Amino acid sequence: MDQTPAKSNSKPSQKKSPMSEPATPRRSLRLRSPHPKYTQSSQSPTKPKRPLPVSTRSPSFSPITPNPPESKRRKRSNSSDPKPSASTSRTLKRRVYYKKVVFDGGEFEVGDDVYVKRREGAESDAEDPEVEECRICFRTGGTVMIECDDCLGGFHLKCLKPPLRKVPEGDWVCAFCEAEKMGKVVERPKPPEGKRLRRTAKEKLLSSDLWAARIESLFREPDGSYWLRCKWYIIPEETAVGRQPHNLRRELYLTNDFSDIEMESVLRHCYVLRPKDFKEASNDGDDVFYCEYEYDIHWHNFKRLTDNDDGPENNEAGNDETYKFANDLSSDADQDSEYEEETTMDYSSFKNQSHELAANSRKGRIFGLQKVGITKIPEHVRCHKQTDLEKAKATLLLATLPKSLPCRNKEMEEITSFVKGAISNDQCLGRCLYIHGVPGTGKTMSVLAVMRKLRSEVGTGALKPFRFVEINGLKLASPENIYKIIYEELSGNRVGWKKALHYLNERFSDGPEVREEENQPIILLIDELDLLLTRNQSVLYNILNWPTKPNSKLVVIGIANTMDLPEKLLPRISSRMGIQRLCFGPYNYPQLQEIISSRLRGIDAFEEQAIEFASRKVAAMSGDARRALEICRRAAELADYRLKQPLESTRMSSSVNSNSKGKYLVSMADIEAAIHEVFQAPHIQIMKNCSKLGKIILVAMVHELHRGGLAEMTFEKLATTILSLCTSNREVPPGYDTLLKVGCKLGESRIILCEEGTKHRLQKLQLNYPSEDVAFALKDCSDLPWLSKYL
Amino acid sequence: MAAEKSLALFRSRLCDTRFVHSAFKSSPESNYSKLKFLISSSISEGCNNSVLLLGPRGSGKAAVVELVLEDLKMEHPDAISVIRLNGLLHSDDNSALKEIARQLCLENQLLFSKMASSDDNSQFMIDMLRECGLAHKGVIFVLDEFDLFTQGKQRLLYSLLDALQTLTSQAVVIGVSCRLDADQLLEKRVRSRFSHRKILFIPPPADDIQRLIEHLLYLPRESSFSSKYVSEFNSRLSNIFSDKKFKEILNSLLDVDGTISNLLGFLFRAVSCIDMDSGFLSLENFKSAHLCTQRQPKIDALQGASILELYILVCMERLEFKEKNSYNFTSIMKEYKAIHDAYKTSDNYANMVCLQAFEHLLDRELISFADSKGWNQPIEFRPVKLLVSAHELYHGLKSNSACPAILQKLFDHESYK
């Protein structure tokens, strides 16, 4: 391909961009791209770099002022908006933020991806073909075209030799690339004389003649020009490690590099998709790109993109309306805005700070986490094709969120109706719901699923907005800390728990406050409620007392294991807890079976009976869904292990012909092994494999137990028994101290319970397991056949 | 020269647990390959896992973990960070969280603050797990003495195992414990989150032991030793291994304790006895090493005891024989005087001297106070107990050359009538 970027300065198309020298590398270009006056003051290369919001905040900042103290910075990070200061600036005008802008015929929205012109006149936008030319006949349009997965060139189906009838399934590589891969030198067809090969925007982007960016916000400057703040995309070649072998052709990385650019330089839309969407949208056009990773420009490392931070969440502000940035510190104080500020900081300025910030303390947490990242994306992640067993393992993970939650519909409906009933009427009388059930029956998961559903209902406007606070009792350092956390969640401030309690009491008893969004109903989910029990039960009392206050607008959902927690509490608390309870019973076996098979749908890895067996077994033991999933996963792991051990697998395939190659179902035997591992205590196996002397000790203890009837015996007595056993069976009698040592070892692994060895002959010993277990383990012991006599 | 070099080689081999356990690397049934598959698959597939390694002390649990981690670090450079905790040091939840935060900071070159509260630390841990997961980095938590983490509310284990249930994290929790019932100690909520994978470490069977010894003691062919010496050494060694006597020694050693650490101790002793002139191991070396392992400290202590101490011990034994449950120094002295009066022995000592001998016995832990109460009382009046059994005392008296005949007769008379 002709990838030498044309540098003709012939067509100056941009009107007002005082452009710097075209040969500068890309990033510096970006930094020097035109900015309005106030940003320029800090962005000019001579001055120390400083976080952007700082400069926007007070335009008259002198360059030598030290960085603002930490507390200030934090506050600002919560409202990453220059408005309050802009109003005090000279212009006395505001930036006006938009959600959607129609500019030059295109409609741009926050969260869209766009092409951005790279440099002045590199290649004018006059020729911006939407459709690619065929690489053989050099004409556009006509019949269906196919894209080579290697060089991304387009070909007419009929131009190919031999011509193709229809687009083939899977990857397709053109003949030229194939030949090049074989090591031959190929001459690609050249365009006819006089006709230059027109390059599409995609090609320009991939050969770094264009930029792509994601719009983070759109605004109009006081002087009337439209600007946008964007996050840049980067092509693999421009990263520090360069293109890695597993990179796809159309792959881009999202960087954490922000800039403000003028609307003028935006070319048009492109579509950067996540892996999931990319797979689905495979033939959507030419401007589709693939993005799986984020690239940190300071540390040159990669990080997977999570699914949820896809685009900033903007609840407020419609079209052409000023953003209302309330000083409410909590609602928008999410990770994103903190990052934003953080990443615009130049790192070097921050290293020299006198007080460096630790990563694990609250204030410093946001600093340094971006350092975590991998410098090169490991190959095994990308190139690995998952087998069915591996897919099954992944989907059986407890962490994997299933698409649907089967078998808990009734309970979820009940929770939904409870929450809706509590928050939908204007009054919002505070209420409590107590959910109980044994571990692993989906209590927390159901509540969270309901909350997700309700939140989406809020999004569609069917429900009034509410706040949801989730707290886990076991993760609190002390029960009183719950006040601190609730208060922090609600207000964003951090205070001691006594103060927090005071504020919360005030807030919930005094009723509506001035600001509107503070008055949303609050749903408080307390997981592991029983952990909040203190001696005088004041924590629970307080929490359950707030909902009864007329203006509190608080709904409490408590989750715990014990059924009778309300009964264990003081009457004044249990009366406040109310009578609404919801029981999550243990799953029975059809339910477990459905849970497992709903996860495994579409993956052919398990025998039908194997799933049934596992679910029956777990239902009989505990009804814990986690356990059932773990057993199946373990079974899949065992099967996978057997498959992957080279020696074993060859034997496998030779002996079992029914299992075709690469296909192996998890069988009953695997489930059996997994269940064995989970449910059976390992002591029998240890007893079977312990040393000879250890076995003799165990047998002597059983013998002594049967003879004396007392479970506890002293070492001296045991030793005499052992000596007599040994002499009558012609074993070499061991010394007392050797016996003591072996006994203590058994005690350490808790096969027997014993006192410390310094007591010597006065040491008391006792079997930790029933004597039948010892008898079972040692009944037919090959090296000491006489043992069975005494059992 | 060659002897010194080979001695140094053996010593370094025997002390290097990685070398020892690499003997079992290749077999698919070994715990090494099982654990390695478990960890490496959870790293390459980006999932979470938790596993418990159980087995008696000295069976090589921690060593295998180290070996696996080292190999995985080679395979996946900078994709693994290991957090090591020990139940003896970090059983307190707050200190454990702090230690986790410290090690995470250290691994990722972040700045660590001692002042952070435990809430901060646990939040930091969760954030870090998420970030590491996004960066395809696995975090491996090795909790040594796992059973000690189960004291208290188990907040650490709960938050750790709960963090594993998010999709982005990519962590493996390895618990190492010698208590077989370690998973039963978990609280029900924690147990439900724990993935009950258990790998059992049992003493190796006889042929594995044989292989291990050969792995440890044969000199390598390609080395700085002269080839003549190597072949001579190895052929002598294989002669010893096939000797019936050697097998007996080995069996009697493993009958007592079949764990690998016991075997290593034995081999270390044997190697240390190597004949420095010839530089070859002989059967004698193994024999003397075996004698070392068979020592009975109590009887040895009795052999070194003075006559007066023996008198006191015998008196105590007599008192116990008379079923006096509680006795102290004064009652022992009474008994001592009674023996003296009855048999007119020449060994008559003053009270003070006897008290000194008595204290000496206390120090050697041949006798002890019956309870910890009354520690402010004078020694003479505190009740004491004999810690040596009659059987041992009998053998001790017999083997002590200085023991007066009357004492032995007395003892025979008492208990073996």
Side-chain angles (χ1 to χ4, degrees):
Chain A
M1 284 190 280
D2 58 338
Q3 296 306 24
T4 38
K7 280 180 188 133
S8 63
N9 260 342
S10 55
K11 286 178 192 169
S13 60
Q14 292 280 325
K15 279 156 280 177
K16 44 164 191 178
S17 357
M19 212 51 212
S20 43
E21 61 278 10
T24 35
R26 181 171 171 180
R27 182 104 58 71
S28 57
L29 241 168
R30 265 185 210 165
L31 285 175
R32 285 172 206 174
S33 64
H35 285 284
K37 258 178 267 169
Y38 55 84
T39 46
Q40 242 167 10
S41 68
S42 72
Q43 294 275 343
S44 68
T46 50
K47 289 182 181 174
K49 282 161 191 162
R50 161 180 348 262
L52 199 56
V54 175
S55 51
T56 50
R57 188 184 166 87
S58 47
S60 54
F61 241 32
S62 92
I64 1 153
T65 356
N67 275 324
E70 194 43 47
S71 57
K72 256 166 112 187
R73 195 181 298 156
R74 255 202 76 72
K75 266 191 198 151
R76 227 178 312 108
S77 77
N78 287 317
S79 57
S80 64
D81 143 74
K83 193 197 82 185
S85 54
S87 62
T88 62
S89 73
R90 269 166 289 156
T91 53
L92 284 174
K93 277 184 185 170
R94 297 168 171 195
R95 274 184 177 184
V96 187
Y97 282 84
Y98 301 105
K99 200 162 183 188
K100 197 191 268 178
V101 166
V102 180
F103 189 89
D104 215 8
E107 200 173 80
F108 298 99
E109 223 176 307
V110 171
D112 279 354
D113 304 307
V114 288
Y115 288 119
V116 178
K117 275 179 215 141
R118 178 162 191 149
R119 81 179 64 115
E120 203 38 37
E123 222 173 320
S124 73
D125 50 354
E127 45 166 5
D128 178 22
E130 296 267 348
V131 189
E132 208 182 358
E133 291 158 340
C134 172
R135 285 299 164 87
I136 296 175
C137 67
F138 294 95
R139 271 190 295 269
T140 55
T143 51
V144 185
M145 288 176 73
I146 186 172
E147 187 183 82
C148 167
D149 282 311
D150 206 25
C151 65
L152 292 187
F155 299 90
H156 281 123
L157 286 185
K158 62 176 173 7
C159 295
L160 291 169
K161 281 175 224 161
L164 284 171
R165 279 278 170 89
K166 55 178 196 272
V167 179
E169 294 272 320
D171 289 357
W172 177 82
V173 179
C174 67
F176 307 113
C177 293
E178 232 165 68
E180 263 178 12
K181 264 189 201 163
M182 309 281 278
K184 290 179 217 158
V185 183
V186 229
E187 193 124 325
R188 286 174 190 265
K190 286 211 175 91
E193 282 295 313
K195 184 175 181 197
R196 255 183 50 225
L197 185 60
R198 292 192 306 168
R199 295 195 301 155
T200 57
K202 169 215 53 177
E203 272 171 49
K204 284 186 217 163
L205 174 70
L206 293 184
S207 55
S208 51
D209 286 341
L210 266 182
W211 286 328
R214 192 169 86 183
I215 303 176
E216 295 290 312
S217 61
L218 295 155
F219 53 89
R220 193 182 67 202
E221 280 300 322
D223 61 4
S225 58
Y226 284 87
W227 286 74
L228 59 91
R229 188 172 170 73
C230 66
K231 239 178 176 179
W232 294 108
Y233 287 106
I234 194 170
I235 57 173
E237 280 83 355
E238 290 183 342
T239 61
V241 286
R243 175 170 278 279
Q244 296 167 53
H246 51 74
N247 278 133
L248 299 175
R249 273 282 143 195
R250 280 178 183 273
E251 183 156 353
L252 296 178
Y253 299 120
L254 185 66
T255 62
N256 54 357
D257 189 12
F258 287 89
S259 335
D260 290 346
I261 52 170
E262 233 173 324
M263 214 56 190
E264 293 277 339
S265 49
V266 171
L267 198 61
R268 60 181 165 88
H269 276 284
C270 60
Y271 307 95
V272 182
L273 301 177
R274 296 292 157 80
K276 204 169 61 198
D277 307 322
F278 186 79
K279 243 173 245 163
E280 289 161 10
S282 56
N283 44 8
D284 260 11
D286 196 37
D287 298 324
V288 177
F289 298 96
Y290 174 92
C291 178
E292 195 182 353
Y293 288 89
E294 188 177 350
Y295 180 70
D296 190 300
I297 51 165
H298 299 297
W299 295 101
H300 307 297
N301 55 24
F302 300 94
K303 217 178 265 184
R304 251 188 308 160
L305 283 169
T306 46
D307 289 332
N308 48 11
D309 66 7
D310 197 1
E313 285 193 14
N314 297 311
N315 309 332
E316 311 133 79
N319 222 354
D320 282 28
E321 197 187 336
T322 320
Y323 263 61
K324 281 203 188 81
F325 275 94
N327 281 347
D328 169 25
L329 298 177
S330 54
S331 66
D332 282 1
D334 51 0
Q335 211 78 20
D336 273 14
S337 60
E338 289 185 12
Y339 266 140
E340 196 166 312
E341 180 187 7
E342 158 63 63
T343 45
T344 43
M345 275 185 185
D346 196 321
Y347 194 73
S348 59
S349 72
F350 184 34
K351 249 183 178 168
N352 303 335
Q353 264 176 339
S354 53
H355 58 287
E356 278 190 273
L357 290 157
N360 63 332
S361 73
R362 165 81 190 173
K363 280 176 184 165
R365 187 190 310 146
I366 52 165
F367 304 105
L369 275 196
Q370 81 280 10
K371 242 170 109 174
V372 180
I374 199 148
T375 47
K376 207 171 172 187
I377 298 164
E379 206 147 319
H380 64 88
V381 184
R382 299 294 297 273
C383 300
H384 189 61
K385 271 244 161 68
Q386 279 190 319
T387 63
D388 264 355
L389 271 179
E390 280 164 353
K391 269 189 222 156
K393 266 172 20 183
T395 181
L396 285 172
L397 264 180
L398 290 180
T400 318
L401 204 64
K403 283 175 211 107
S404 64
L405 284 169
C407 310
R408 284 294 180 217
N409 295 329
K410 215 179 94 233
E411 284 85 353
M412 275 165 72
E413 259 167 41
E414 206 158 319
I415 299 170
T416 314
S417 65
F418 166 79
V419 175
K420 275 189 174 170
I423 66 170
S424 62
N425 52 3
D426 288 332
Q427 203 55 39
C428 180
L429 283 175
R431 292 215 252 165
C432 296
L433 174 68
Y434 177 60
I435 299 175
H436 59 89
V438 290
T441 47
K443 300 181 294 293
T444 313
M445 203 176 210
S446 307
V447 175
L448 292 181
V450 167
M451 285 301 149
R452 272 197 301 273
K453 214 177 79 198
L454 290 181
R455 189 154 309 150
S456 68
E457 273 181 44
V458 169
T460 59
L463 203 65
K464 283 208 311 185
F466 62 89
R467 298 266 286 276
F468 177 58
V469 180
E470 187 193 353
I471 294 175
N472 194 319
L474 248 177
K475 288 180 188 162
L476 298 172
S478 78
E480 283 85 13
N481 273 6
I482 192 169
Y483 303 133
K484 211 163 95 181
I485 290 175
I486 296 176
Y487 186 67
E488 198 184 337
E489 287 278 336
L490 293 183
S491 68
N493 293 347
R494 241 167 114 86
V495 291
W497 69 264
K498 280 188 180 143
K499 224 169 181 185
L501 173 63
H502 176 72
Y503 287 143
L504 286 173
N505 267 332
E506 233 167 42
R507 177 190 170 130
F508 288 126
S509 51
D510 287 359
E513 285 177 35
V514 213
R515 253 176 275 118
E516 190 119 307
E517 56 267 42
E518 293 259 319
N519 206 18
Q520 289 172 355
I522 299 157
I523 297 174
L524 181 62
L525 170 67
I526 306 179
D527 216 341
E528 319 292 359
L529 188 70
D530 48 333
L531 263 291
L532 294 182
L533 271 181
T534 48
R535 183 161 304 159
N536 58 8
Q537 309 189 354
S538 64
V539 175
L540 269 183
Y541 177 79
N542 278 327
I543 286 170
L544 296 173
N545 195 27
W546 291 329
T548 61
K549 299 273 168 66
N551 294 316
S552 62
K553 295 208 161 188
L554 180 69
V555 179
V556 177
I557 303 177
I559 300 180
N561 296 132
T562 45
M563 197 173 194
D564 56 344
L565 181 70
E567 281 70 40
K568 277 193 243 166
L569 300 172
L570 292 175
R572 59 186 168 136
I573 298 177
S574 50
S575 88
R576 280 176 173 81
M577 206 164 195
I579 43 162
Q580 269 204 309
R581 296 194 200 171
L582 184 59
C583 177
F584 277 67
Y587 290 109
N588 55 17
Y589 97 86
Q591 287 176 327
L592 285 176
Q593 198 175 349
E594 194 185 332
I595 291 171
I596 298 170
S597 42
S598 78
R599 283 195 180 217
L600 287 175
R601 198 153 293 148
I603 301 167
D604 186 22
F606 274 73
E607 281 175 15
E608 198 56 44
Q609 306 109 299
I611 297 177
E612 189 183 331
F613 179 51
S615 42
R616 268 182 195 277
K617 194 88 189 178
V618 174
M621 303 288 263
S622 60
D624 186 339
R626 286 198 197 107
R627 195 62 69 82
L629 291 173
E630 276 299 331
I631 285 179
C632 290
R633 190 159 80 98
R634 180 64 180 153
E637 234 173 62
L638 289 173
D640 204 21
Y641 180 68
R642 205 164 30 184
L643 199 64
K644 280 184 183 160
Q645 289 300 321
L647 278 172
E648 290 286 278
S649 66
T650 48
R651 215 193 57 204
M652 254 346 254
S653 56
S654 61
S655 63
V656 186
N657 290 328
S658 60
N659 287 332
S660 57
K661 215 182 169 200
K663 180 138 182 87
Y664 185 75
L665 289 182
V666 177
S667 63
M668 291 287 268
D670 296 316
I671 295 274
E672 179 84 58
I675 287 177
H676 188 81
E677 190 177 320
V678 170
F679 287 114
Q680 218 200 25
H683 62 268
I684 301 242
Q685 227 180 328
I686 292 280
M687 281 181 202
K688 270 186 184 162
N689 287 293
C690 73
S691 62
K692 234 181 194 175
L693 197 51
K695 284 175 190 166
I696 295 174
I697 290 179
L698 286 175
V699 169
M701 285 185 83
V702 173
H703 187 60
E704 193 70 12
L705 178 73
H706 288 324
R707 215 171 52 183
L710 277 175
E712 208 175 70
M713 60 200 83
T714 61
F715 175 74
E716 191 175 24
K717 209 166 170 193
L718 180 69
T720 40
T721 316
I722 289 169
L723 290 194
S724 71
L725 283 188
C726 284
T727 40
S728 58
N729 292 291
R730 268 180 261 148
E731 288 284 333
V732 186
Y736 270 49
D737 290 295
T738 317
L739 267 181
L740 191 70
K741 200 171 86 186
V742 176
C744 285
K745 274 214 154 185
L746 289 176
E748 257 180 341
S749 33
R750 289 298 189 277
I751 289 177
I752 60 178
L753 300 172
C754 63
E755 292 178 312
E756 68 269 40
T758 48
K759 291 204 164 175
H760 203 73
R761 89 187 168 107
L762 301 172
Q763 182 195 35
K764 290 188 181 113
L765 304 113
Q766 190 181 346
L767 273 176
N768 194 23
Y769 293 101
S771 58
E772 290 80 32
D773 284 7
V774 180
F776 174 76
L778 303 180
K779 207 163 41 202
D780 18 61
C781 170
S782 55
D783 45 350
L784 291 168
W786 53 270
L787 285 182
S788 54
K789 269 194 293 184
Y790 299 93
L791 290 167
Chain B
M1 185 58 208
E4 273 166 33
K5 245 168 76 185
S6 54
L7 183 60
L9 176 75
F10 289 136
R11 281 182 172 158
S12 66
R13 272 181 179 183
L14 290 168
C15 293
D16 181 10
T17 48
R18 279 187 221 113
F19 180 82
V20 173
H21 287 275
S22 59
F24 305 122
K25 251 183 183 181
S26 54
S27 101
E29 287 308 307
S30 71
N31 286 325
Y32 167 82
S33 31
K34 279 182 197 163
L35 185 65
K36 189 171 173 198
F37 176 78
L38 199 87
I39 300 178
S40 71
S41 72
S42 32
I43 284 179
S44 61
E45 286 160 37
C47 58
N48 301 307
N49 233 331
S50 46
V51 64
L52 207 51
L53 310 185
L54 300 174
R57 279 204 198 282
S59 50
K61 303 178 291 291
V64 168
V65 171
E66 288 306 311
L67 193 64
V68 167
L69 289 181
E70 183 149 309
D71 286 2
L72 284 176
K73 272 187 181 162
M74 301 276 263
E75 279 172 36
H76 308 271
D78 84 10
I80 292 177
S81 40
V82 183
I83 310 294
R84 288 165 221 269
L85 297 178
N86 193 312
L88 290 169
L89 302 174
H90 312 113
S91 63
D92 171 40
D93 289 333
N94 294 342
S95 70
L97 281 171
K98 187 181 262 183
E99 179 66 17
I100 290 176
R102 192 187 70 79
Q103 294 192 17
L104 277 173
C105 284
L106 202 69
E107 288 270 342
N108 294 290
Q109 285 109 41
L110 298 171
L111 206 65
F112 169 73
S113 144
K114 290 189 284 194
M115 310 295 286
S117 72
S118 92
D119 278 349
D120 282 349
N121 281 333
S122 70
Q123 190 58 42
F124 173 73
M125 179 182 86
I126 289 166
D127 285 356
M128 276 304 279
L129 280 179
R130 180 172 165 274
E131 297 292 319
C132 288
L134 290 180
H136 295 299
K137 280 187 177 176
V139 183
I140 297 174
F141 293 89
V142 181
L143 308 182
D144 211 345
E145 312 288 347
F146 183 78
D147 45 312
L148 294 177
F149 284 99
T150 59
Q151 297 160 345
K153 276 188 186 170
Q154 311 187 353
R155 266 178 46 225
L156 172 77
L157 291 178
Y158 183 85
S159 45
L160 204 56
L161 293 172
D162 209 46
L164 297 199
Q165 303 205 356
T166 55
L167 194 54
T168 43
S169 69
Q170 195 173 325
V172 184
V173 175
I174 304 173
V176 180
S177 174
C178 67
R179 277 188 72 161
L180 297 180
D181 54 351
D183 63 325
Q184 302 301 315
L185 297 172
L186 295 174
E187 215 229 356
K188 58 185 183 305
R189 299 174 257 239
V190 182
R191 200 186 310 163
S192 163
R193 284 167 173 80
F194 182 74
S195 80
H196 291 272
R197 283 162 180 59
K198 285 177 220 154
I199 295 182
L200 210 55
F201 283 73
I202 46 181
D207 49 338
D208 274 358
I209 291 273
Q210 187 66 36
R211 223 173 65 210
L212 180 65
I213 295 174
E214 283 169 12
H215 172 75
L216 288 169
L217 292 189
Y218 276 131
L219 283 179
R221 291 247 160 257
E222 57 288 329
S223 59
S224 51
F225 298 108
S226 67
S227 60
K228 197 173 141 226
Y229 174 71
V230 170
S231 56
E232 173 75 17
F233 186 94
N234 286 350
S235 67
R236 280 194 188 208
L237 207 57
S238 46
N239 277 342
I240 295 174
F241 288 158
S242 54
D243 195 332
K244 215 173 170 189
K245 281 258 179 55
F246 177 77
K247 278 180 184 151
E248 262 169 35
I249 290 174
L250 199 61
N251 279 339
S252 74
L253 181 83
L254 298 179
D255 281 351
V256 172
D257 184 358
T259 56
I260 291 176
S261 69
N262 187 31
L263 181 74
L264 291 183
F266 166 72
L267 290 182
F268 195 91
R269 269 183 199 156
V271 164
S272 299
C273 306
I274 193 170
D275 183 10
M276 293 309 270
D277 296 332
S278 66
F280 296 115
L281 277 172
S282 63
L283 190 59
E284 290 307 311
N285 301 146
F286 290 102
K287 271 185 190 159
S288 56
H290 185 233
L291 277 183
C292 283
T293 62
Q294 278 189 322
R295 303 195 72 146
Q296 305 291 319
K298 290 276 167 185
I299 292 182
D300 289 354
L302 284 175
Q303 271 177 10
S306 69
I307 295 168
L308 181 55
E309 283 162 5
L310 289 179
Y311 264 109
I312 292 175
L313 288 175
V314 171
C315 288
M316 288 174 81
E317 176 60 36
R318 272 169 68 107
L319 280 172
E320 285 198 359
F321 188 71
K322 287 178 188 165
E323 297 195 0
K324 279 206 176 167
N325 284 329
S326 178
Y327 53 91
N328 57 17
F329 179 68
T330 30
S331 42
I332 294 169
M333 283 323 287
K334 222 186 258 170
E335 181 70 23
Y336 175 64
K337 288 283 186 298
I339 292 176
H340 183 70
D341 291 345
Y343 297 96
K344 301 279 180 245
T345 56
S346 57
D347 306 303
N348 190 7
Y349 296 100
N351 238 1
M352 277 315 288
V353 182
C354 293
L355 187 60
Q356 251 180 14
F358 181 74
E359 278 172 358
H360 193 214
L361 284 176
L362 274 175
D363 288 345
R364 303 195 78 177
E365 292 201 340
L366 289 171
I367 62 177
S368 76
F369 294 119
D371 44 28
S372 55
K373 279 182 289 184
W375 50 270
N376 46 4
Q377 280 177 356
I379 292 172
E380 297 99 297
F381 304 116
R382 289 184 67 182
V384 285
K385 283 274 178 199
L386 188 61
L387 286 187
V388 196
S389 60
H391 183 82
E392 280 169 296
L393 191 54
Y394 175 72
H395 282 282
L397 291 180
K398 269 185 130 177
S399 58
N400 193 329
S401 52
C403 177
I406 176 72
L407 212 48
Q408 274 191 41
K409 218 173 93 190
L410 245 176
F411 195 77
D412 286 344
H413 179 68
E414 289 296 334
S415 48
Y416 293 98
K417 208 177 336 182

